[in-house]
Amino acid sequence: MTQSLRAENYLLRQANSLLSAENLAFKERMLLAQSRVEALLEQFPAPEAQATPDDAEDLAAADDGAESTTPHDSEATQ
């Protein structure tokens, strides 16, 4: 029984070591990706002003109007 538990403990320690190394590699990749995204975001110009809820409603209304002018296929035209 003791030998079996020691063998299992050894395997668990190996797996833990591998997972820790993998976790470290993932953290490094995440930091690299974060720095790349931040560099990309810095290339965008700063927004001039925050959009207000009224602006969002105006945009939505304009989009709805654009959609209604597109022709739709009906059963009569098919």
Side-chain angles (χ1 to χ4, degrees):
M1 179 69 157
T2 303
Q3 191 66 15
S4 173
L5 290 175
R6 284 184 180 166
E8 182 182 5
N9 193 22
Y10 174 77
L11 292 174
L12 289 172
R13 286 181 191 272
Q14 279 187 322
N16 188 30
S17 178
L18 289 173
L19 289 173
S20 294
E22 186 179 21
N23 189 31
L24 183 60
F26 284 139
K27 284 181 182 180
E28 290 172 355
R29 288 178 62 192
M30 286 292 294
L31 288 173
L32 179 62
Q34 179 183 358
S35 65
R36 290 173 61 192
V37 169
E38 288 173 352
L40 284 173
L41 290 175
E42 288 176 2
Q43 293 178 4
F44 288 109
E48 293 180 16
Q50 293 290 333
T52 63
D54 293 335
D55 294 340
E57 290 173 7
D58 292 342
L59 264 176
D63 287 343
D64 290 342
E67 290 176 6
S68 64
T69 60
T70 58
H72 296 286
D73 290 333
S74 66
E75 291 181 67
T77 59
Q78 290 181 354

